[in-house]
Amino acid sequence: MKLIIRDAKIIDSKSPFHNKTVDILIVDGFIQIIGTSIPNLEQLEELKLDNLHVSQGWFDSSVSLGEPGYEDRETISNGLQVAAKSGFTAIALQPNSFPIIDNQSQVNFVKNKATGFATQLYPIGALTKESAGKDMAELYDMQKAGAIAFGDYNKSLSNANLLKIALQYVQDFDGLTIAFSQDENIKGNGVANEGIVSTRLGLKGIPNLAEELQIARNLFLLEYTGGKLHIPTVSTKKSVELIKEAKKNGLKVSCSVAVHHLVLTDEKLEEFDTRYKVSPPLRTETDRIALLKGLTEGTIDMITSDHNPIDIEHKKMEFDGAKSGTIGLESAFGALMTVLPLEIVIEKLTAGKETFGIEIQTINEGSSANLTLFNPEIESIFTKSSILSKSKNSAFLGIPIKGKVYGILNQQKLILA
């Protein structure tokens, strides 16, 4: 592939070309020249788009697809195309398929299915067999096969000793343990954030305490064992404070926040629309503001779409019985641009690579061409026609968004939305 990208403003704080509008010559997957008015002597393909901005390729640390087992929700093939057209050059695949990705052969299966796509897929192996929370899965074998971390998607480990052993065990190969944090006993039959809205609507509540108590426990375990712990999709003000204190004390803890927790609150539940049923639940405006502050001050390391396709049979039903989850790849950038400055959005959509051990490609001459292409200014409403996923369970339908993703350039492939 030989391509000249014209008049692109580079957004990459680690690049010497940060905030400069330049031309980029790409040859065989590498950035050969960055400069102004690069001559096109060989009649190469040129790409010129309105208000084009270019950043390092984005990485999403939590994506569910479905395959194997739930292909009606999403396939790996279509899911990777959705990710590419949404600006993501890499995704971490959650293990919540059927069967669960809890062994070497399952890791190999999803990796083989993802061969040849512009968006790279990095499997997360289940921490426990069948994500049942009883016996530790084959972590070392999965790591050898290519798993980048280990966790049970949206399942909290009630057995503290098992998490302790896992944190100790993975240190032998510098592994990363993921601990979704929600005390199931305190959550009980809760389906929405415990507060004024849930009380008014008569919905069983999930108090902030369910998350915070589990995070506190997991941080105590990390302090005891050492190693690295990632806490996904934090959702409360106190959770941010706990993690901030742990980092100050030198613990190797990272965390993410989901786009929907940065943009939406439990006020959205007024019409009992199950598109807004997510785990952890949408919280209050106080929590939302605290999450945004946690991002800007550096306590929260990365943003995830927490993309989770759910078929209509498990979503279009009464609120109590519906499955939790929203798709989020297609709407991630546009939704974030309504609440955060551009540079922070880009930083937090790329920072997860370092935590998950994925090579970082700064935009510079000689670097691999791993790029996301976008326009940060276009304003629109997110509609059903914007959804590329097989499942349509988006919490962002009808929401104003800002910015447009043009596509990605990665693996010597240019994918345009």
Side-chain angles (χ1 to χ4, degrees):
M1 169 195 265
K2 293 185 178 181
L3 172 72
I4 299 176
I5 300 175
R6 295 290 188 193
D7 299 328
K9 185 172 184 179
I10 292 176
I11 307 296
D12 180 357
S13 60
K14 296 182 174 67
S15 168
F17 300 96
H18 179 51
N19 269 334
K20 294 180 180 176
T21 300
V22 294
D23 294 347
I24 306 171
L25 172 63
I26 293 158
V27 178
D28 297 332
F30 287 88
I31 298 172
Q32 193 168 89
I33 300 173
I34 299 177
T36 54
S37 303
I38 295 174
N40 190 357
L41 303 178
E42 299 179 45
Q43 300 298 304
L44 304 181
E45 181 185 355
E46 294 193 5
L47 181 67
K48 189 174 174 69
L49 297 164
D50 288 343
N51 193 28
L52 176 59
H53 287 56
V54 173
S55 73
Q56 290 181 32
W58 304 340
F59 167 68
D60 195 330
S61 60
S62 177
V63 173
S64 302
L65 290 180
E67 188 177 4
Y70 300 119
E71 288 84 355
D72 54 331
R73 297 179 187 176
E74 188 57 278
T75 61
I76 289 172
S77 171
N78 189 64
L80 289 174
Q81 290 172 19
V82 172
K85 291 180 179 181
S86 303
F88 295 90
T89 60
I91 61 168
L93 178 69
Q94 290 289 358
N96 57 328
S97 52
F98 184 75
I100 297 284
I101 303 172
D102 65 358
N103 59 64
Q104 192 173 23
S105 65
Q106 288 301 322
V107 171
N108 286 328
F109 173 83
V110 295
K111 284 191 71 179
N112 289 337
K113 278 279 186 177
T115 302
F117 288 89
T119 296
Q120 293 163 276
L121 181 150
Y122 295 91
I124 295 172
L127 186 65
T128 61
K129 290 179 181 177
E130 299 181 348
S131 287
K134 294 179 180 177
D135 302 299
M136 200 160 68
E138 302 166 7
L139 307 187
Y140 180 68
D141 286 349
M142 287 192 285
Q143 189 265 346
K144 295 295 283 182
I148 58 168
F150 308 99
D152 297 328
Y153 180 65
N154 274 9
K155 291 185 176 180
S156 205
L157 202 53
S158 61
N159 185 337
N161 190 52
L162 191 54
L163 182 58
K164 182 199 77 164
I165 292 168
L167 282 164
Q168 292 170 324
Y169 178 73
V170 300
Q171 289 178 56
D172 288 343
F173 49 88
D174 195 31
L176 177 65
T177 304
I178 300 174
F180 178 75
S181 299
Q182 182 171 257
D183 188 300
E184 290 300 315
N185 291 316
I186 291 178
K187 178 202 172 201
N189 295 321
V191 295
N193 179 60
E194 182 181 271
I196 294 170
V197 173
S198 64
T199 303
R200 185 168 67 243
L201 299 178
L203 294 171
K204 295 185 181 74
I206 304 172
N208 289 13
L209 180 66
E211 176 173 308
E212 296 153 4
L213 192 64
Q214 199 79 347
I215 285 178
R217 184 204 75 170
N218 293 342
L219 290 173
F220 272 119
L221 289 170
L222 179 65
E223 185 178 23
Y224 178 81
T225 61
K228 299 183 298 185
L229 181 69
H230 178 67
I231 301 174
T233 58
V234 297
S235 68
T236 81
K237 181 180 179 181
K238 182 69 174 176
S239 294
V240 177
E241 292 169 359
L242 288 166
I243 293 166
K244 183 177 182 179
E245 185 66 23
K247 286 186 170 190
K248 195 184 297 181
N249 292 335
L251 297 187
K252 291 182 180 177
V253 58
S254 60
C255 65
S256 69
V257 62
V259 177
H260 43 269
H261 287 118
L262 295 171
V263 179
L264 308 172
T265 69
D266 58 357
E267 294 287 343
K268 282 286 182 186
L269 302 182
E270 290 291 347
E271 295 179 8
F272 298 94
D273 192 328
T274 58
R275 290 183 298 115
Y276 302 114
K277 186 179 181 184
V278 291
S279 181
L282 296 177
R283 302 290 188 184
T284 65
E285 181 68 4
T286 300
D287 292 307
R288 190 184 75 83
I289 297 300
L291 294 170
L292 290 169
K293 183 183 177 188
L295 276 171
T296 54
E297 70 182 13
T299 301
I300 299 176
D301 302 273
M302 66 198 79
I303 299 172
T304 173
S305 69
D306 200 24
H307 182 83
N308 188 7
I310 306 290
D311 54 275
I312 193 168
E313 287 82 4
H314 290 94
K315 262 297 183 185
K316 206 166 182 63
M317 58 194 305
E318 63 182 38
F319 201 91
D320 282 4
K323 280 189 177 294
S324 296
T326 176
I327 57 171
L329 285 169
E330 300 99 312
S331 51
F333 178 67
L336 289 172
M337 285 296 296
T338 65
V339 292
L340 285 166
L342 175 62
E343 288 198 15
I344 290 177
V345 170
I346 300 306
E347 178 197 342
K348 299 302 182 179
L349 287 176
T350 55
K353 294 178 188 177
E354 184 176 1
T355 300
F356 283 83
I358 296 168
E359 188 179 2
I360 296 168
Q361 296 290 345
T362 300
I363 301 177
N364 206 348
E365 293 176 349
S367 297
S368 291
N370 182 316
L371 306 172
T372 298
L373 318 173
F374 58 94
N375 180 340
E377 297 301 330
I378 298 173
E379 296 185 4
S380 61
I381 302 293
F382 190 76
T383 63
K384 207 161 188 175
S385 64
S386 311
I387 296 176
L388 307 171
S389 302
K390 286 183 72 175
S391 295
K392 311 301 178 187
N393 57 306
S394 172
F396 294 94
L397 283 173
I399 301 288
I401 57 174
K402 183 183 177 186
K404 174 181 173 59
V405 175
Y406 286 131
I408 64 168
L409 179 63
N410 190 35
Q411 304 282 82
Q412 298 196 53
K413 292 180 174 65
L414 175 64
I415 306 294
L416 296 177

